Amino acid sequence: MAATARKTTRRICTLLLSTVALGALPSVAAAQDQPATAPTTSPAISNDEIIVTARRRSETLSSVPIAITAFTGDQLAAKGAIDITDLADEVPNVTLEPSRGTNSTLSAFIRGVGQQDPVSGFEQGVGIYLDDVYLNRPQAAVLDIYDVERVEVLRGPQGTLYGRNTIGGAIKYVTKKLDDKAHVSLRGTYGSYDQADGVITASTPVDKNGLVRIGGSFARLTRGGFGKDLTTGLDNYNKDIIAGRGTIEVHGDKIFARMTGDYTHDMSNPRGGHREIPGQLTGAPVLANVFDTQAGLNSPKQDVKAWGWSLFMEAKPLDWLTLRSITAYRKDDSASPIDFDATPSQDVDVPAFYRNRQTSQELQVLVSKGRFNGMAGFYYLNATALTQFDVRLFTTVAGLAAYTDAKIVTDTMAGFVNLTYDVTDHISLEAGGRYTWDKRGATILRQNYLGGGSPTFGGAGVPFGTPSTNFNGSASFTKFTPRASINWRPDSNNTLYVSYSQGFKGGGFDPRGVGVNAPPGETQGQFLSFRPEKVNNYEVGLKTRLFDRKLALNLAAFRMDYKDVQIPGSVACTVAGLPSFCGVVSNAGKARMQGVEAEGHFKMGPLTLNGSLGYIDAKYLQYITLINGAPTDVAAYRKVQNTPAWNGNASATVALPVPKGSLDLTGGASWKSTTYQFEIPNPYLDQPAYTLFDASLVYHAPGGRWTLGIYGKNLGDKRYKTSGYTYVAANATTGALTYTPQGNLIPTLGKEGVLTTYWGNPRQVFGTVTMSF
């Protein structure tokens, strides 16, 4: 089915490319009524001209006193961006990757704050927003880029402005509003690894005044695998997605309403990992191609479906007063066969289901009168996250599976306010606060099965012994978090700000915890629970425009004091005398992140230069863990995960002279220093410093009716790790790996030895044609 879809989409893309090559499109464009201001060159939008809504009102990027990076849809298209993980190469101190073993689950970190564990019970540290709607779970959050107006990345806590869990920052994916004229656009892509993408977007006003407008987009995104699963014969790291979005808008004099629905179906194959060591039981070799795998688990069939709707309503009963309501519902269901050991044997195989639901309501009142701007809001979220999985250890004990069924229900309410007053024409004061009430309910069952796995995943196993966890309980958490800043704008070219903000993320219950392992004197609820985490953020920033605004610089320096850091993990353990898989969550203690960020944009004549640089000194000041039953501070041996000390990028674009239209040649590089996948360093999993090189050549036809671009990503074909799994013995204090006298690593879960890695995309070259009429 996937191969047929790729062939069909490829034919469409080939037809589009052929049409451009034969010169048919200029005659089509000439037949249209071109706007008087139709551009005759590429959309070289300078970053300071981008309008953002980071503070819930429209402001230029250069004037908003927040550490923010924004990209327009045109800029993302010019970069050949495929999904939001591509932004991590452009934004300082940001890491965005598909979660280990998945294609569409997102791991997001900003300034060292984030979460890579996808199971229910663990909340994100970075808020992902789709048209102002918070996505409560990371499943299906690797958003493909199509029909996008802009993407904003806000760094640092944003609790006085956004609904939930923005303790590290927020990413806003903003789709395009509908035109007041009929509009159709097409995008076709074909490239290496049989990549074949097609996107069609159309909109039209329903009445002659454009009061009511309807529109939609449909995307078919396919690609063959970067490698093969040598056991199942399936493509590995392939892509097979259907996505769509439909919108109805009402544009009145004092009212605007937008109803949007979206649907995504990811039918990509399971993503198998690469073994870093030979199999300790079967001798499974280390494969030469890191994108090949020997993973044997293919049940349940990999499948991810996500859909939702939202209703945005805005009214302006008075010139200075705006009222908003954002109502939304979202649902996603994932089936994932995760083969931890990446061998044909059923050593550590984890079939899993993720089923998530959420309903949210947000109300806002915005006031803008004279020197005063203010916003007050209320946010409510009800969310249910169900995670079910087996941990099949058939090579350890015949037919043994540890089954987990964890349902986490979240009810949260928050009131927030953000006020700005212009003391003078150049100085403004900003203050805000948020009061959050979180209630977390948990129903967790852990049960061993013998004889072939749990019935949930079609196994023939029967329950063995009593449940190791049988918990039903709840906990509530409240917190007030303030924000304050002083902003100085001496002239239209400079903005200087100093700010303080607090962030908060509620506590919860470990869905993988084993209640019977609770120490004497602790209930299951106490043993499974973890506390909220908090951060104090101090920041100073400068946004300046120099040399007649040809050079734009955005600079920020920050310090974050991070307390009760939630660190979920899982280890090999023994339950009722049988080997098993146990969750271990630490409120580690204290961490400190401090660093600087710089972003620059320079344009002179046909030359445009862009770049960014991020440095962060992230370290644990205290990290308490139990070793032999005694609390031990191991901070000296732990690292902040997914947070390279240095990252940056630089690119140059030259507008080449052509008789008609414009031709842009762009080349660039992005780099990251050493990245630790977990808190405990591991030489097999951690990624040393690396650099990626990209380039593009894009032609823009006169009037902007069509474009033709050739893009190259990771042109050096660099191999770099993005995530992994480890279950081999290590020193409990230092984390140093433990070896047998023969020099072999010692498996702690299963018999093969789990040391599995997942890798970033190899070199890709693709051509894209767009048409607009």
Side-chain angles (χ1 to χ4, degrees), residues 18-159:
S18 301
T19 305
V20 173
L22 291 171
L25 274 222
S27 62
V28 174
Q32 307 297 319
D33 292 327
Q34 296 191 20
T37 57
T40 58
T41 59
S42 59
I45 301 173
S46 66
N47 288 338
D48 62 313
E49 293 172 346
I50 299 175
I51 303 300
V52 297
T53 56
R55 294 198 293 177
R56 300 300 183 108
R57 62 180 188 264
S58 296
E59 300 172 284
T60 62
L61 183 63
S62 62
S63 65
V64 61
I66 293 175
I68 177 177
T69 305
F71 302 95
T72 66
D74 287 336
Q75 289 175 328
L76 293 169
K79 296 174 184 294
I82 296 172
D83 59 52
I84 65 169
T85 63
D86 286 339
L87 302 182
D89 294 332
E90 306 285 340
V91 185
N93 293 327
V94 170
T95 298
L96 302 170
E97 298 287 357
S99 183
R100 54 201 176 190
T102 76
N103 299 293
S104 53
T105 298
L106 182 67
S107 290
F109 287 77
I110 295 179
R111 293 180 174 176
V113 180
Q115 177 59 257
Q116 71 161 317
D117 203 318
V119 301
S120 61
F122 304 125
E123 300 289 339
Q124 303 169 81
V126 174
I128 309 298
Y129 287 83
L130 176 59
D131 285 332
D132 284 325
V133 175
Y134 171 70
L135 306 185
N136 188 59
R137 302 299 303 153
Q139 284 80 27
V142 177
L143 302 175
D144 287 286
I145 292 175
Y146 70 98
D147 190 34
V148 61
E149 175 69 28
R150 68 184 182 279
V151 178
E152 303 175 12
V153 182
L154 290 71
R155 302 185 292 279
Q158 307 293 332

Side-chain angles (χ1 to χ4, degrees), residues 156-178:
Q158 307 293 332
T160 63
L161 296 167
Y162 290 92
R164 179 170 174 78
N165 283 354
T166 55
I167 185 172
I171 298 174
K172 291 184 60 179
Y173 184 107
V174 183
T175 62
K176 291 181 178 178
K177 285 187 177 182
L178 303 182

Side-chain angles (χ1 to χ4, degrees), residues 146 198-201 216-220 242-245:
Y146 70 98
V199 178
I200 180 170
T201 301
S217 295
F218 175 79
R220 188 72 173 94
I242 293 175
R245 183 179 297 120

Side-chain angles (χ1 to χ4, degrees), residues 2 5-6 9-10 13 81-83 142-146 173 187-189 194-200 218-224 238-244 263-268:
R6 286 200 300 273
T9 313
R10 184 174 62 229
C13 297
I82 296 172
D83 59 52
V142 177
L143 302 175
D144 287 286
I145 292 175
Y146 70 98
Y173 184 107
R187 189 186 85 196
T189 298
D194 209 15
Q195 177 185 355
D197 299 340
V199 178
I200 180 170
F218 175 79
R220 188 72 173 94
L221 312 171
T222 64
R223 188 195 64 234
N238 77 321
K239 186 173 185 177
D240 188 5
I241 292 175
I242 293 175
Y263 174 80
T264 300
H265 188 188
D266 185 348
M267 300 165 285
S268 309

